[in-house]
Amino acid sequence: MSGEQGSAPAGASSAAPAGASSAAPTVVDSAANKKAAAARKQAEVPIFQKRNWMLYYYYVRQKFDQCRDLIKVMKEETNGISEYGMYVEGLLYRVDGKILQSLESFRKASQLDPKSADTKKQIGVSLFLLGRHQQALAAYEVAEQLDKLDWEIKHNKGMCYAHMQEPHKAREEFLNAIRYNQALVTFKQLGTLYEDQKEDQAAIDIYEQGLRLYPGNSDLLTKVGLAYLRAGSITNAFEKLGTAVMFSAKNSQAMMAVGSIMQQHGDVDPALDKYSHVAMMVPESPYLWNNLGMCYFSKEQWATSIACLKRANYLAPLEWKINYNLGLVHLAMQQYPLLHTFT
């Protein structure tokens, strides 16, 4: 028996009860230490950051009234030094259309955190909305120095250059934005820039590049379809516009263009069907009523044609094509005294 006891490990010797009694407090002390460490860590969180998560929760769920109430509380607790509270306040002012107030809030937030590229970017957005494109560009350049990988900054710089009538610099910035992130909005803006410069083929190429990434986007399909139409490629235009209508039955622009192509090729009844759908979506479009009037003109329904064209003339009295078409109808009806009114 003595040999067996001698071969036992030291931890299992007669000192075991003492070891057991001393081990229990060790576990308790460890738990207490962890709790104390967590309390110290919680205490280290600055007071002006404690409610940030709640403010973010309200904002992303568009509970703007709760956001405003919480921002007031945060300002009182921090004596107005809550950077995130100022930032969200700027976003809320922008939602309300108070762009000047949003600019002031973002500037205060930037003073509290001068190294925040996102805050500098938001200052640029507010300046852009105020039409201060040169100042907005300067703000974006500062933001770009803080975050060179942000594609939105490059896209927004392109927008500034486009409004400042510097298309070459705008094109360069849009292409840089696409290199960092192939965003749909950048493809649209770059294509529109090419269209403004009468570079239809370049616009088609950039739209087609975007369609490879966003094949089901109805707006992009409409843009490339209209670009093909301007370039004289009727088949490609009809295909793209038809696909746009297929993806979005509420795309009035694409449906209007499809009806126009049908009308030009003598398919008056299908064109009228398309226009009837467009009329339910945009009843105040002068171009819709002009096209309807000419459809009825080709069907020799003179009274209906005049009614549609006069509505178009009421909506766009300075559009010469509508006046010209009214003159054609009166000429066909041999109402010669009325010709001088519209021609």
Side-chain angles (χ1 to χ4, degrees):
M1 293 291 293
S2 60
E4 292 177 1
Q5 290 176 353
S7 63
S13 64
S14 59
S21 61
S22 62
T26 302
V27 175
V28 173
D29 291 344
S30 177
N33 289 337
K34 289 180 180 179
K35 187 174 182 180
R40 286 195 300 272
K41 185 176 181 181
Q42 184 178 7
E44 290 171 0
V45 177
I47 189 171
F48 52 81
Q49 293 183 1
K50 286 185 176 179
R51 298 184 186 272
N52 287 1
W53 68 271
M54 188 181 298
L55 185 57
Y56 175 80
Y57 174 87
Y58 286 145
Y59 183 80
V60 297
R61 285 159 179 77
Q62 299 185 2
K63 298 180 178 180
F64 297 145
D65 291 335
Q66 290 90 329
C67 283
R68 295 183 182 92
D69 294 338
L70 184 58
I71 289 172
K72 291 180 182 178
V73 174
M74 294 171 70
K75 284 184 176 180
E76 293 174 357
E77 291 179 345
T78 63
N79 294 322
I81 61 171
S82 173
E83 183 266 337
Y84 189 66
M86 292 292 182
Y87 180 88
V88 176
E89 184 181 55
L91 296 177
L92 292 174
Y93 277 133
R94 189 182 295 161
V95 169
D96 294 337
K98 300 176 181 179
I99 309 301
L100 277 173
Q101 291 90 328
S102 77
L103 178 60
E104 291 302 318
S105 294
F106 287 129
R107 282 176 171 168
K108 291 177 182 178
S110 182
Q111 290 174 357
L112 295 171
D113 187 5
K115 295 185 178 180
S116 172
D118 196 49
T119 304
K120 302 288 187 186
K121 180 172 65 177
Q122 294 301 332
I123 290 174
V125 172
S126 292
L127 288 168
F128 179 85
L129 293 174
L130 289 169
R132 304 176 187 176
H133 302 129
Q134 188 67 50
Q135 295 179 31
L137 183 61
Y140 289 137
E141 287 176 349
V142 174
E144 192 172 31
Q145 293 299 318
L146 297 171
D147 186 356
K148 297 182 181 299
L149 302 179
D150 191 333
W151 69 271
E152 287 185 345
I153 295 175
K154 295 170 174 54
H155 173 89
N156 292 346
K157 286 177 66 178
M159 293 293 294
C160 288
Y161 281 124
H163 281 78
M164 292 164 61
Q165 303 301 318
E166 298 186 40
H168 296 293
K169 291 183 178 180
R171 180 187 310 177
E172 181 180 350
E173 292 297 338
F174 286 140
L175 290 172
N176 285 335
I178 289 175
R179 291 189 190 100
Y180 283 91
N181 184 43
Q182 296 177 325
L184 175 62
V185 64
T186 309
F187 284 111
K188 290 181 179 180
Q189 290 297 337
L190 182 55
T192 301
L193 182 67
Y194 283 132
E195 290 177 1
D196 293 340
Q197 299 299 309
K198 308 300 181 183
E199 300 180 28
D200 290 331
Q201 188 56 51
I204 289 171
D205 292 341
I206 200 67
Y207 287 145
E208 289 286 8
Q209 184 181 345
L211 281 174
R212 286 193 287 271
L213 296 170
Y214 306 95
N217 187 269
S218 182
D219 290 338
L220 200 56
L221 285 163
T222 302
K223 284 182 173 293
V224 71
L226 294 175
Y228 275 124
L229 193 60
R230 282 189 295 271
S233 181
I234 305 300
T235 303
N236 288 329
F238 191 78
E239 177 188 352
K240 297 296 183 182
L241 292 167
T243 306
V245 173
M246 181 184 68
F247 278 110
S248 176
K250 295 183 179 181
N251 189 332
S252 59
Q253 188 180 18
M255 195 172 295
M256 182 85 167
V258 169
S260 177
I261 294 173
M262 291 176 174
Q263 183 178 355
Q264 289 177 2
H265 286 77
D267 297 329
V268 177
D269 290 329
L272 283 171
D273 180 64
K274 296 295 182 184
Y275 293 149
S276 65
H277 288 86
V278 176
M280 292 187 289
M281 293 182 279
V282 283
E284 302 303 318
S285 169
Y287 307 106
L288 166 67
W289 291 104
N290 176 75
N291 290 1
L292 280 169
M294 297 314 293
C295 281
Y296 288 116
F297 174 77
S298 64
K299 293 169 73 70
E300 299 185 357
Q301 297 181 17
W302 314 121
T304 308
S305 177
I306 289 178
C308 292
L309 288 169
K310 285 192 173 181
R311 182 174 178 84
N313 183 250
Y314 171 78
L315 295 170
L318 299 180
E319 179 58 63
W320 69 269
K321 291 182 180 179
I322 298 173
N323 288 289
Y324 179 81
N325 292 337
L326 268 170
L328 288 179
V329 178
H330 287 298
L331 182 62
M333 296 177 67
Q334 299 182 357
Q335 295 176 341
Y336 303 118
L338 296 174
L339 287 178
H340 74 279
T341 307
F342 304 104
T343 58

